[in-house]
Amino acid sequence: MKRKLLSLTALLTLVTVIVTACGGNAPASNSTAATTTGQAQTGGQLIVAVQEDPRVLNPVYAGDRVTLTINQSLFSHLYTYHNGEKKFVLAESLTPSADNLTYTLKLRKGLTWHDSKPITADDVVFTMESVLDEKQHSSDRANYVFNGKPLQVKKVDELTVEFKLPQASAAFEGVLAGFIPIPKHVFEGEADLEKSKKNEKPIGSGPFKFKEYRAGEYVTLERFDNYFAGKPKLDTVTYRIAKDPNAANMALQNGELQMRKIDAVDHNKLNSTNRFNMVTYPEGRLNYLAFNLNVDVMKKKEVRQAIAYALDRKELITATYLSEEFAKPAASIFTPDTMYHTSEVETYEHNVDRAKELLAQAGANNLKLRLAYVNTNKAHETQALYVQQKLGEIGITVELMALDSGAFGNMSLDMNNTAYDLSFGGYIMGHEPDSYKSLYLSDAAYNYSHYKNAEFDALWNKAAIEMDTAKRGELYKQIQQTVANEMTIYPIAYDNAIIAVDKKFGGLQEAGPKPVVMFEDLSKVFIQQ
């Protein structure tokens, strides 16, 4: 989970990103999860808090945190990655040819959709062709286009699919981990998959199947008894929409909610009740400040750099996350779990005098800037007040625009947006660096800074297909350095996920903490006797 996952703010969450190919479980050494203390009870319900309604329950279009979280239980991937290791799910193997131009995927035998129809190669081919169909406007299409040429996909037999690449790509296996098939027999013939009425009662392949959705209230899934990896222990999982974080915390404490991703500032208070297991792990998430280059004053690099010098990451982290226990200072646009991440970029250490010099060079006097963020995001609310104060010290007046998530998301996705100058966002893109290009290419839908540079685009496209690891690493280092030098995105922090779970639930370690979606497999969670 791109502020696609993108973004926890804009789409409420760009996880890439972006889960999914978001990298898999957090390493056990960096995660705290409660051990099971009682025997597993069959049945019961789990109520999980989510911050808003899902966008559309179709994995071809899922990019926000809420939809990805629900889809994690509703649909299954072909395979995922855990600490760089491939873990097969619906697929049982993926085999490259000697020249790395053809990949042969084999599905497990006996798989079924929630309506009992078999999952076959036809479903994989149909889904990939839908993603590649420009009329279906899937943001994932760019992942399967190499130097302007899309891959080809064909059915070999009922359980075998071939992917033919126009040229070898080091990124392909990584990005395919984010691919989730949808049922051909349900969607075939639909002119617009995103707007199809079939999405209102989705047919999935995961451990839980769709039961009911009441907009603004909840989505309920029920156990899928024929799930290939074993019958889930819970009867139902309900994702309750809880937009107000303070009200959600109260609902946690009185038992109306039983699982929620919480803010660092709420950790100590909730932990002191001794009612919750606090599952904490590095989420591979970047929290950032974006500069909107659609606005004339933001096109001046000196202004963007001046703002960066005016801020202090360590102060921001202390104000927002209490301490570095819950977040680490960020220098790169890549998170530390991403291949070829480097911290060897310009970091813009706090320097008020340098900030004022750059503003003078740009001829930018008495600036008034608008800073947008989601009004229910506590971290961004704190950061907004901090930015307002620090920019005031260099003569910039900042107007705070606290927006509801829908309004903010709509503005962010407007390619011609000039409604604000600065915005907060966050994303989780995972292990494969090619996933990030959906946030940074000139024409990318999730390029919230609107930075356009043909040479920069060429670096991304070259890095995606470079098979020499040393050369590929150097290309991604140039990409990270370019963003830092141009200062189109100001990286703030790599923050941890903190999941509060009612202590009556066991199986959390087996369920596996996972970026964006909280846990990888809720079929392993149970009520303890």
Side-chain angles (χ1 to χ4, degrees), residues 329-340:
S332 169
I333 58 168
F334 286 3
T335 54
D337 59 320
T338 301
M339 285 192 296
Y340 310 116

Side-chain angles (χ1 to χ4, degrees), residues 168-188:
S169 168
F172 177 68
E173 289 194 43
V175 297
L176 190 64
F179 178 87
I180 300 176
I182 59 175
K184 177 182 179 179
H185 69 276
V186 172
F187 287 100
E188 188 173 26

